[in-house]
Amino acid sequence: MGHDHSHTHGITATGRHRKRLVAVLAITLAVVLVQVAGAALSGSLALLADAGHMLSDAAGVTIALLASWIAGRPASDLRTYGYQRAEVLAALANALILIVISVIIFTEAIRRFGSAPEVQTDIMLGAAILGALANLVSLLILRGAHQDSLNVRGAYLEVLGDLLGSLAVIVAAVVILTTGYHAADTIASVLIALMILPRAWSLLRDVVDVLLEASPKGVEVQMIREHILSVEGVVDVHDIHIWTITSGVPVFSAHVVLEDGVLTARGADQVLDKLITCLGSHFDTEHCTFQLEPASHLEHEAHQHA
């Protein structure tokens, strides 16, 4: 037939942006060291919370990098899609890490309420400003790439949360510096914990959609059905399935019923070319599997189930 049914294993969405993730990881680890030292010297829980969040980001990016390497391993008879789902499992671990970190921060903040210790605001403010600048640079590095991959998106959301967390620490430091209200540090740490949870939930929800093989976002099955039915010689389509192996790798399958006269070697070849072109151009789905059936077979099935 001359059709290309190959799967481009090894070129996953995360893999394409691996260099960006490495750069963000290096920046994040450097800032974590500075913020941990700053938290120890200043006594700031908010700064320590921000450092803990950034450490979780570093762990998440490391997991994503390892997963992108594992996902690049070739397919085999045992694993016909290779290890591409490793990226999705890494994103799941990332989301769970975020939730655990937020709970730890919130618990410690509650324990501190009513007995907020004094904080060295100059060290706290300097470390927070450095963290904010580093997070801004990381966001610029990941900008655009976060739309292609769940793992890059997870890293992007975490860095965005870090930036907001650093801003919260800056505000808390300014409040303490100008008013002497040391509880602002504890309040800022609670805000950081609350900022983490919605992002973690959003990432977790998208991961679950992939694992449950839900239709990719933005893909309307009814519209795909209409496009297939518009191909000359097609009389019906059923058993449509569309899911995602990993970020950027959607897969589609369907049973397509053809007019009896069309289901010849040449006719089937032409219909397949049109179907594959249609799915690839309109819905960005290259991995398509079509089971071609004659209209008489559909009538036979109808009689069997009558």
Side-chain angles (χ1 to χ4, degrees), residues 89-267:
L89 296 177
L92 174 61
N94 214 343
L96 295 177
I97 288 171
L98 281 172
I99 292 173
V100 170
I101 289 293
S102 65
V103 170
I104 291 173
I105 293 170
F106 190 78
T107 302
E108 177 61 20
I110 294 299
R111 190 184 68 81
R112 279 200 178 193
F113 266 119
S115 59
E118 291 191 7
V119 177
Q120 299 294 323
T121 52
D122 52 347
I123 298 175
M124 176 184 176
L125 185 59
I129 291 173
L130 179 62
L133 291 175
N135 289 323
L136 186 58
V137 171
S138 295
L139 278 180
L140 293 175
I141 292 173
L142 296 175
R143 186 179 180 183
H146 70 289
Q147 298 176 348
D148 295 338
S149 163
L150 276 177
N151 280 301
V152 178
R153 182 189 167 198
Y156 182 87
L157 290 174
E158 288 168 350
V159 172
L160 179 60
D162 281 337
L163 177 59
L164 296 175
S166 295
L167 293 177
V169 178
I170 291 171
V171 171
V174 171
V175 169
I176 296 171
L177 189 63
T178 56
T179 67
Y181 184 64
H182 288 275
D185 178 67
T186 305
I187 294 172
S189 64
V190 171
L191 290 176
I192 292 171
L194 293 177
M195 284 189 291
I196 296 172
L197 282 175
R199 298 180 300 105
W201 174 252
S202 174
L203 181 60
L204 184 60
R205 183 182 57 198
D206 287 346
V207 169
V208 170
D209 280 345
V210 172
L211 293 177
L212 293 180
E213 299 188 344
S215 297
K217 285 185 177 180
V219 174
E220 296 183 17
V221 175
Q222 181 57 36
M223 189 176 295
I224 293 178
R225 182 181 286 108
E226 292 173 0
H227 274 266
I228 293 175
L229 290 173
S230 69
V231 174
E232 186 178 356
V234 175
V235 297
D236 191 25
V237 58
H238 59 96
D239 288 338
I240 293 178
H241 299 284
I242 182 164
W243 67 101
T244 305
I245 299 300
T246 187
S247 304
V249 188
V251 183
F252 177 88
S253 69
H255 291 210
V256 180
V257 182
L258 305 180
E259 297 173 0
D260 287 353
V262 175
L263 200 55
T264 62
R266 181 176 178 81

